[in-house]
Amino acid sequence: MKRFILLGLIALTSSSVAQSFEINDELLELYARPSQYLDVKISPGGDYLAATSRTEKGTVQLTVIAIDDNEILRITQGREGESVASFNWANDERLIFSMAREVGPLETPAATGEIFAMDADGSNQIILTGPRSKSGEYVFAQVVDYLPQEPDAVMIYQRSFTSQEPYLDLYTIKIDSGRKRSEGRIPLRAYRNTNVSVILDSDGVSRMVVGVDPEEDNKTVILGRDGANQEWYEVTSYASDEGGFVPLRMLPNSDQVVGLSNSKTDTRSLSVMDLSERQETVLATHPNVDLLPIMSIKDGRANELIGAAFEYATIDSFFFADVEDADYSRLLQSLMATFPEQAVGITSATRDNSKLIVSVSSANKSPSFYMFDRSAGKLVPVAESRPWLAKHKFPKTEAIIYESRDGREIQAILTLPKDQEAENLPLILLPHGGPHGVKDSLIGIDSDAKVFAEHGYAVLQPNFRGSGGFGREFLEAGYKNWGTTMIDDMTDGVDYLIDQGMVDPDRVCVYGASYGGYAALQSGVREPDKYQCIVGFVGVYDLDLMFEEGDIPQALAGRNYLNRVLPAEAEERKAQSPLHNVEKLKAPVFIIQGGADRRVPETHAFRLRDALKERNHPYEWLYKEDEGHGFFLPENNIERWQKMLAFFAKHLGE
């Protein structure tokens, strides 16, 4: 068999970008290449590594390697157009994985609903669920939990492919044969555009389920039960505009469940709910940002709550004192100290925690994976997510905080060009999509921001009101205000940089995708003299059209969402729709659209183009018939960047 070392470093030899607006095509190609290594996990016994990696055709394959001699044991690929989506070790020798069909990068890959199992060397492969399985059932299935007490089985749920509002049926399924044992039905429906999550206790018994009821304006419903074969009861429920508890994991050998909650605080706090008493206790909160739990690992699974991670001005964390697994806590703190200002996570560990796979990422370094051998005290590189950028010096990305005109604290991400003084720079305002619940972060690389900064532009990504991660009041302050105060928050960020002397007020453009595309056009409507050019990528341009076309209004949950976040009055929706206000635009517009976009159909782009044509307003156009809500193919993203950079240079000058 061929030999293989997972770590592959490709030297980046391109020289630093000249301080002109010449387009560096070689650099665009490097940024356009999708991540090669996506995830790495070690087997419980410590004999194997499994990794998902992207092929030259863009699909994701699963590779298994023997650790002792770095020998490839198996490379597994799906059918044409299918990628390995998720995977995990079920025991020392056997892997469980699922498949998905990938579309545009702004859309979630569509899971096939089938579960596969195989030995580390690829033998004894079997399709456990779905139409291609031995049972031939036309169902969608997903792994709920890997059962350490039953190493030859996992817990799954499955639901009908044909029912519009199916219930979920739980099964324990043997991973060598596909034989199933019923564990009962979850009394919550999986409505379209909603999810149902199931939480097991340490004995492998489903104890809590969480769902959303569109019939009651997307109310969250949490059910619990006291043990196997017991009756389900409502633990709590809360309306979509109320705070509530989100259960994540039950603590071992107890009735307590760890979760995130804003029922008692504005930001999401770490909380514990006692099922026996149905009481919630807040353990820790941050006044400005949401927290995420940090758990220890025991026997290969999350065990004890030991701290919290958060992002406020930088990537940060804190740890609780007097935890039971103090040794693991010290280990994780040591790893975080080794990689300051980066997000550090443990993707997997051996059963005895002697070896751990560590993931490291930030906005300024390509994501990477390491194996930490505790007995040897060694941290060994395993894989670079994008090895061709591993040694690259990126433009620096950092967090800034400014104040909006009405006194709100706005956190933003700022990327500056390399080897230049931060004075009188040309600026690209880059609002994120979503818009609600989404935020720009220091944890990962934004290729758009980096590409623009590589070519001499400062890039501002503001977390305007309505963004996620900054508390419920901040989130809901954006409701009904897509085209008003949310836009003002973006404008205030531009003005802040101008006031600081960092940005030339006469050289500012705005670009965004999805809601960001809407915000780009609406910024030009509200501030016609501020922007020299506007780029909208798969953007929403008519708020009324959101109720008529696309995948959001196809489900009641989606229509509830639109009614909650968009203006109730038709006149106000029209006032906040760029399509109906093109006469206020002064800056030239570049429209980019995918013909297969299901989230924001091409009608938006065509109607905007027609309206600009009618007024003889200058515009440019890029349309890719087979792309979705974002461009998937590297060559299309390269072309998009080339034309955008030429557009920026044309209107911003040198």
Side-chain angles (χ1 to χ4, degrees), residues 262-482:
N262 57 4
S263 62
K264 301 179 180 181
T265 57
D266 180 56
T267 55
R268 285 200 182 276
S269 304
L270 289 186
S271 291
V272 169
M273 177 174 284
D274 191 307
L275 274 183
S276 59
E277 299 180 2
R278 305 187 199 179
Q279 292 293 318
E280 177 193 338
T281 303
V282 175
L283 300 180
T285 189
H286 191 291
N288 302 100
V289 293
D290 295 350
L291 298 178
L292 290 173
I294 300 176
M295 306 286 292
S296 68
I297 295 177
K298 184 178 181 180
D299 295 329
R301 60 194 289 122
N303 182 58
E304 181 185 9
L305 179 64
I306 60 174
F310 61 96
E311 190 176 331
Y312 183 70
T314 187
I315 297 170
D316 210 340
S317 62
F318 64 80
F319 289 81
F320 298 122
D322 303 322
V323 296
E324 289 184 15
D325 199 345
D327 186 48
Y328 185 91
S329 179
R330 285 191 295 270
L331 166 65
L332 194 52
Q333 291 179 65
S334 176
L335 288 170
M336 290 179 172
T338 303
F339 301 100
E341 298 185 354
Q342 298 186 65
V344 177
I346 307 299
T347 72
S348 58
T350 55
R351 191 176 295 104
D352 59 2
N353 276 2
S354 62
K355 294 183 176 68
L356 304 95
I357 301 300
V358 183
S359 66
V360 181
S361 65
S362 82
N364 293 305
K365 188 181 181 304
S366 180
S368 53
F369 297 92
Y370 300 82
M371 182 166 65
F372 183 67
D373 187 326
R374 296 181 72 176
S375 60
K378 289 184 178 180
L379 189 68
V380 180
V382 173
E384 290 282 349
S385 178
R386 302 166 88 175
W388 50 89
L389 289 173
K391 300 296 185 181
H392 183 58
K393 178 186 175 184
F394 290 100
K396 179 71 181 295
T397 297
E398 61 187 4
I400 64 169
I401 297 174
Y402 62 89
E403 190 173 287
S404 71
R405 65 191 65 184
D406 58 355
R408 290 183 182 275
E409 180 180 277
I410 306 294
Q411 295 193 53
I413 305 300
L414 178 65
T415 303
L416 297 174
K418 295 179 292 190
D419 306 321
Q420 291 189 52
E421 292 293 327
E423 296 179 2
N424 290 318
L425 294 169
L427 175 71
I428 308 299
L429 171 64
L430 175 49
H432 62 68
H436 301 298
V438 178
K439 73 170 184 176
D440 287 306
S441 169
L442 292 170
I443 289 177
I445 290 173
D446 186 301
S447 293
D448 277 335
K450 294 297 190 187
V451 163
F452 302 153
E454 295 274 14
H455 288 81
Y457 299 98
V459 182
L460 178 68
Q461 298 172 270
N463 284 309
F464 43 84
R465 72 191 69 194
S467 301
F470 303 99
R472 185 159 59 94
E473 193 279 331
F474 189 86
L475 173 75
E476 294 178 359
Y479 292 177
K480 316 290 187 183
N481 296 312
W482 279 28

Side-chain angles (χ1 to χ4, degrees), residues 60-315:
V60 177
Q61 63 187 15
L62 178 63
T63 301
V64 183
I65 301 162
I67 290 177
D68 283 347
D69 56 9
N70 283 322
E71 184 177 11
I72 290 181
L73 300 180
R74 176 73 177 184
I75 298 177
T76 300
Q77 295 181 333
R79 298 183 300 185
E80 185 71 25
E82 286 186 357
S83 287
V84 176
S86 61
F87 73 96
N88 214 331
W89 290 96
N91 56 39
D92 289 353
E93 297 288 334
R94 201 147 174 82
L95 276 159
I96 301 290
F97 59 98
S98 63
M99 291 286 181
R101 298 181 181 92
E102 293 203 57
V103 287
L106 300 182
E107 293 181 297
T108 303
T112 66
E114 298 165 311
I115 300 173
F116 299 74
M118 71 177 186
D119 290 347
D121 62 2
S123 61
N124 300 318
Q125 185 170 143
I126 183 174
I127 304 177
L128 299 173
T129 64
R132 290 185 288 175
S133 69
K134 187 175 181 179
S135 69
E137 292 180 286
Y138 199 63
V139 294
F140 179 97
Q142 185 171 308
V143 175
V144 172
D145 204 279
Y146 295 83
L147 305 173
Q149 71 275 18
E150 291 190 66
D152 62 343
V154 296
M155 180 81 74
I156 68 167
Y157 76 62
Q158 68 179 41
R159 57 178 172 80
S160 167
F161 258 128
T162 56
S163 174
Q164 289 294 314
E165 300 174 352
Y167 286 105
L168 303 184
D169 294 306
L170 286 178
Y171 294 93
T172 297
I173 187 168
K174 295 293 185 181
I175 58 176
D176 56 352
S177 65
R179 286 188 295 111
K180 294 185 297 186
R181 180 179 74 240
S182 175
E183 302 291 349
R185 169 164 285 186
I186 299 299
L188 289 178
R189 292 183 183 273
Y191 294 95
R192 186 169 183 176
N193 285 9
T194 71
N195 294 311
V196 174
S197 58
V198 184
I199 297 172
L200 274 59
D201 63 18
S202 53
D203 294 323
V205 176
S206 55
R207 296 289 303 280
M208 295 189 80
V209 293
V210 185
V212 173
D213 187 354
E215 300 290 344
E216 296 195 38
D217 194 22
N218 294 4
K219 179 175 74 173
T220 297
V221 179
I222 302 176
L223 305 182
R225 63 177 179 171
D226 296 327
N229 303 315
Q230 301 295 306
E231 291 295 318
W232 291 96
Y233 55 83
E234 183 173 303
V235 176
T236 185
S237 63
Y238 50 92
S240 57
D241 59 351
E242 296 177 345
F245 179 79
V246 180
L248 299 176
R249 180 170 292 276
M250 292 203 70
L251 295 175
N253 306 311
S254 76
D255 287 331
Q256 293 188 323
V257 58
V258 173
L260 299 173
S261 176
N262 57 4
S263 62
K264 301 179 180 181
T265 57
D266 180 56
T267 55
R268 285 200 182 276
S269 304
L270 289 186
S271 291
V272 169
M273 177 174 284
D274 191 307
L275 274 183
S276 59
E277 299 180 2
R278 305 187 199 179
Q279 292 293 318
E280 177 193 338
T281 303
V282 175
L283 300 180
T285 189
H286 191 291
N288 302 100
V289 293
D290 295 350
L291 298 178
L292 290 173
I294 300 176
M295 306 286 292
S296 68
I297 295 177
K298 184 178 181 180
D299 295 329
R301 60 194 289 122
N303 182 58
E304 181 185 9
L305 179 64
I306 60 174
F310 61 96
E311 190 176 331
Y312 183 70
T314 187
I315 297 170

